[in-house]
Amino acid sequence: MENKTNMFSSISELLSHIKEVEQETIQISQDSMLMLSSFIEKNSIELDESAAKGLQYQDIISQQLTSTIEAIDSVQKAIEIYQNAYNSDEKIASNSIEKLHVKLSSTLQIAKDRKDAFSGKLGHEDETDEIEFF
């Protein structure tokens, strides 16, 4: 029983580390965007469509990372619930592992759906719609 809780604790710690790295990456991306925007404004530079699309990638990256952070939070909460149930009662834990599986499957689907949604229309040159800032 101790081995399972240790394994879940290790997984949760790893997820916390990944989440921290993603949050730092979002901040770096936002800082980069502010620096570029300031440079463009100070130098009165007009961006062509390609350069504007390149800047929009910063926002898309941040949104993708935010989506995975939300998925990680959900997984960590599910693991915590499972650990508490497992420590309290093995029967409850048996039911809880099934709920964990359902929750993880749902979280994965939501993450995949958000990835698709946040990808915008990048890579579809035949579309004439503009990519919106989020």
Side-chain angles (χ1 to χ4, degrees):
M1 189 154 105
E2 185 68 28
N3 288 336
K4 287 183 181 181
T5 57
N6 286 341
M7 178 186 68
F8 282 119
S9 292
S10 295
I11 290 170
S12 185
E13 287 174 23
L14 177 62
L15 291 172
S16 290
H17 171 73
I18 292 168
K19 190 168 60 172
E20 183 180 315
V21 170
E22 289 183 349
Q23 288 167 333
E24 288 173 4
T25 303
I26 289 169
Q27 187 60 52
I28 290 168
S29 178
Q30 290 172 346
D31 292 347
S32 171
M33 186 65 157
L34 288 174
M35 286 182 239
L36 288 170
S37 295
S38 176
F39 176 80
I40 291 167
E41 185 178 322
K42 283 180 187 176
N43 293 290
S44 300
I45 297 172
E46 286 192 40
L47 300 178
D48 64 6
E49 184 178 334
S50 177
K53 188 181 283 188
L55 290 176
Q56 289 173 341
Y57 286 157
Q58 295 285 348
D59 189 50
I60 291 170
I61 290 167
S62 292
Q63 291 202 29
Q64 291 287 5
L65 292 173
T66 298
S67 177
T68 60
I69 288 169
E70 290 172 4
I72 288 170
D73 283 339
S74 180
V75 169
Q76 286 181 305
K77 286 177 187 170
I79 288 172
E80 183 180 335
I81 290 168
Y82 171 75
Q83 282 182 296
N84 290 336
Y86 193 87
N87 292 334
S88 300
D89 183 342
E90 286 187 40
K91 183 178 180 191
I92 293 172
S94 179
N95 291 335
S96 189
I97 194 75
E98 181 59 33
K99 290 177 184 177
L100 174 64
H101 171 72
V102 169
K103 181 66 176 171
L104 293 176
S105 296
S106 173
T107 298
L108 175 61
Q109 188 58 52
I110 290 168
K112 286 181 177 181
D113 291 345
R114 287 184 176 172
K115 176 185 181 281
D116 292 340
F118 290 151
S119 293
K121 296 179 176 77
L122 300 177
H124 299 289
E125 295 177 8
D126 56 336
E127 303 227 358
T128 58
D129 293 321
E130 294 285 328
I131 298 173
E132 293 183 19
F133 283 97
F134 294 94

